[in-house]
Amino acid sequence: MHHRTVSRRGAFTLIELLVVIAIIAVLISLLLPAVQMAREAARRIQSTNNLKQIGLAMHNYESSIGSFPGFGQSTAFAFSPLARILPYLEQENLVNLVNFQVPIYTGSGPNIRLNPVHATAANFVINGYLCPSDGGNPLFQNVLGGNSAGTTYALCTGSGRNLTYHVELPTDGMFWYGSAVTMGHITDGTSNTMLASQIRLGDGVNTSGPRPNDGKRQYASNSVLSPALPGLSQGGQQIQNPDLAAMTSSINSWRGDRGYSWLVGRLVSNGFSAYLAPNSQVPDLAAHGRGWHGARSFHPGGVQALFADGSVRFIKDTVSLESWRALATRNGGEVISADSY
């Protein structure tokens, strides 16, 4: 009589199961950073492409019109350069919604409001004007009496030094109210002159009190500063090249409307200067529409910058402030080496 021998495999013990789970957890912890890095690399490539398309449209505009677009001719007609290049971005349907002959605002001073004629265009989200690394809500509610779609790309208004912090006056950069800069005006060289960079979408919230713990999406607002031009003044003294860290240390008013519109040509909505370093720990400061607004992004270690030759380069946070400001001027005569940024 033959006896069948049955071989039985023992079940996993609790210890074995825990070891397997631990190994899987270690593998996930090793793979997750690589996956996140790959995703960020893809987002950065997309952002680079967005800026290159903006640069190409700027070049086509300059070739067709004879100059780069400005921030409108006045506050009432302050259409942004991003709005003016729409015909060169294959946005014909949207172009038909924007009537550049009708004021973008009605009213004046504290009663200024978005003209209802432009409400539909103002609410249109343009994906090419948004950096995928930002992740903020691009729709802003009730800014200047109307809703609007934002942007994470801003035009370079210059170094921000001396009296060049506001676009109502000619700056040492590429854009201001009524500017009509041509290629011939860029004596520093098109490869050394920034057209645009990145900003962070505001969170749409205004708060009071000390600086928020997460101030990445809010900036300081100081209504005490005089609106008088050509220079801001405080206590009767004109402010030039201010210490923004000191000025913002005691401010208790914070706004969250940075980047609130690609359509409206205002410094807070789609302009920046190089007074602050990229991703500076010092917050932006605005007063009466004027002020110092920096370039910022959610890319680790720096910001993307579009240059007048159409190239896009990644500028590190560690760039020297002197080199950064030199890149923002069109005719400063500075000597900039490629290894300085």
Side-chain angles (χ1 to χ4, degrees):
M1 184 177 183
H2 297 283
H3 295 280
R4 180 182 296 175
T5 302
V6 179
S7 176
R8 294 186 180 181
R9 183 184 178 193
F12 280 111
T13 66
L14 178 60
I15 293 177
E16 289 173 330
L17 183 60
L18 292 175
V19 169
V20 171
I21 293 174
I23 292 173
I24 293 174
V26 170
L27 290 175
I28 291 175
S29 67
L30 292 174
L31 289 174
L32 189 58
V35 171
Q36 291 175 334
M37 289 177 62
R39 288 179 176 174
E40 170 54 26
R43 289 191 290 261
R44 202 161 113 178
I45 290 172
Q46 181 59 53
S47 185
T48 297
N49 183 63
N50 290 346
L51 281 168
K52 285 186 175 180
Q53 292 303 312
I54 291 172
L56 181 61
M58 287 282 181
H59 280 194
N60 289 335
Y61 184 102
E62 197 269 348
S63 297
S64 177
I65 305 301
S67 66
F68 289 97
F71 278 94
Q73 294 296 325
S74 64
T75 302
F77 285 88
F79 293 94
S80 78
L82 294 178
R84 295 184 181 278
I85 63 173
L86 287 178
Y88 306 94
L89 282 172
E90 299 181 355
Q91 294 282 352
E92 287 80 6
N93 293 335
L94 184 54
V95 170
N96 294 331
L97 296 176
V98 183
N99 187 342
F100 292 103
Q101 306 307 313
V102 176
I104 197 166
Y105 288 125
T106 60
S108 60
N111 298 316
I112 194 170
R113 293 292 182 268
L114 182 69
N115 194 325
V117 172
H118 301 295
T120 301
N123 278 274
F124 193 93
V125 175
I126 301 177
N127 290 329
Y129 283 171
L130 295 168
C131 173
S133 289
D134 188 283
N137 185 354
L139 292 173
F140 289 78
Q141 304 296 316
N142 198 33
V143 178
L144 295 179
N147 301 332
S148 60
T151 179
T152 59
Y153 301 116
L155 293 314
C156 183
T157 63
S159 68
R161 292 174 295 200
N162 300 320
L163 301 180
T164 63
Y165 56 81
H166 186 46
V167 293
E168 283 183 1
L169 297 174
T171 73
D172 55 6
M174 292 292 294
F175 302 96
W176 63 87
Y177 281 161
S179 64
V181 176
T182 68
M183 284 291 188
H185 292 143
I186 309 174
T187 57
D188 284 349
T190 56
S191 63
N192 289 326
T193 303
M194 285 189 289
L195 285 179
S197 187
Q198 298 178 273
I199 57 177
R200 294 169 177 165
L201 286 172
D203 59 9
V205 178
N206 300 333
T207 59
S208 299
R211 185 182 184 186
N213 291 330
D214 183 10
K216 293 181 179 179
R217 296 187 184 274
Q218 290 184 311
Y219 63 91
S221 177
N222 190 343
S223 59
V224 175
L225 292 173
S226 169
L229 288 177
L232 288 174
S233 63
Q234 190 171 36
Q237 184 176 4
Q238 221 174 55
I239 301 173
Q240 296 186 43
N241 302 331
D243 180 350
L244 294 186
M247 288 180 65
T248 57
S249 62
S250 59
I251 288 178
N252 62 359
S253 179
W254 304 89
R255 295 186 61 85
D257 58 354
R258 183 72 163 124
Y260 74 86
S261 176
W262 58 261
L263 176 67
V264 177
R266 291 172 67 92
L267 192 57
V268 66
S269 57
N270 43 60
F272 85 97
S273 75
Y275 192 75
L276 291 170
N279 293 319
S280 173
Q281 295 301 307
V282 179
D284 299 349
L285 170 65
H288 303 280
R290 303 159 179 82
W292 294 266
H293 299 74
R296 304 175 190 274
S297 81
F298 282 94
H299 299 309
V303 297
Q304 304 269 38
L306 168 67
F307 287 79
D309 64 353
S311 65
V312 177
R313 280 168 261 165
F314 190 74
I315 310 298
K316 296 179 181 179
D317 295 345
T318 54
V319 63
S320 73
L321 200 52
E322 181 181 2
S323 296
W324 173 241
R325 290 174 177 174
L327 292 172
T329 67
R330 68 185 184 279
N331 57 1
E334 305 94 342
V335 177
I336 310 170
S337 61
D339 58 0
S340 63
Y341 57 88

